[in-house]
Amino acid sequence: MTARRIADSSVEMTEILLPQHANALGTAFGGTIMSWIDICGAICAQRHCGRIAVTAYVDDLEFLAPIRVGDIVQLHARMNQAFGSSMEVEVEVKRERAGEAHLARCAVARLTFVNVGPDGRPAPVPALVLETDEARLRAKGADERRAQRLAHRKRAVD
Ligand SMILES: CC(C)(COP(=O)(O)OP(=O)(O)OC[C@H]1O[C@@H](n2cnc3c(N)ncnc32)[C@H](O)[C@@H]1OP(=O)(O)O)[C@@H](O)C(=O)NCCC(=O)NCCS
């Protein structure tokens, strides 16, 4: 399998927050944003491995600033690291609001997706080419989080 670059799978997704996406305060319902994050991350993972990828784990999801009805929502997903059959993807959510000069960072999440083969079993994924110091740092963070997840999983089984 040929290693793939981060740019090969990065995703830009744009939505607009409509009334049906909002809570009683007129700001985004968290579940809507989580769903968009999952979709954006899954597209990224699937572009990397070239097959269906299922969500296995959401490491952390932080809501940093509110999104109001009428705001444009920009989601950006990028691969942090590829393991055996799993991949860590980071998704960042930004708000584009009329009258505001800058995009506001509203949420960030890291998710683990698993490549599923035709037999329904986890299948190997291509390696990720780490071309910059920033990419290497992100990958190192992903390695550490994976080690913690596996230790936690082992404890839960034991
Ligand atoms: C994810 C899934 C395919 C893994 O299957 P499995 O038989 O447990 O697979 P394995 O134990 O052989 O692990 C396969 C890979 O998944 C990773 N994995 C499995 N469970 C995981 C979890 N809870 N968190 C993070 N990674 C996980 C393993 O670390 C391994 O990665 P690696 O190959 O890179 O080392 C399976 O648990 C599944 O289908 N889960 C439901 C997925 C789903 O429906 N998602 C949508 C939810 S809304």
Side-chain angles (χ1 to χ4, degrees), residues 54-57 83-86 112 114 121-122 146 149-150 153:
V54 296
T55 316
Y57 199 92
F83 304 108
S85 61
S86 64
T112 300
V114 176
R121 294 291 309 143
R146 177 172 184 269
R149 271 195 306 276
L150 291 179
R153 206 177 171 211

Side-chain angles (χ1 to χ4, degrees), residues 16 20 23 35-36 53 59 63 76 78 80-82 84 86 94 96 99 101 105 109 113 127-128 135 142 145:
I16 185 160
Q20 64 263 35
N23 58 26
S35 160
W36 289 344
D59 254 286
F63 290 104
H76 173 73
R78 49 162 287 152
N80 273 349
Q81 183 62 298
S86 64
K94 289 183 178 169
E96 185 184 327
R105 197 163 181 252
F113 293 91
L128 185 67
R145 282 185 289 277

Side-chain angles (χ1 to χ4, degrees), residues 85-118:
S85 61
S86 64
M87 302 152 275
E88 187 187 276
V89 175
E90 184 160 321
V91 183
E92 198 178 22
V93 181
K94 289 183 178 169
R95 169 187 89 200
E96 185 184 327
R97 180 172 290 169
E100 283 186 358
H102 301 288
L103 299 178
R105 197 163 181 252
C106 294
V108 63
R110 296 192 195 95
L111 306 93
T112 300
F113 293 91
V114 176
N115 175 25
V116 175

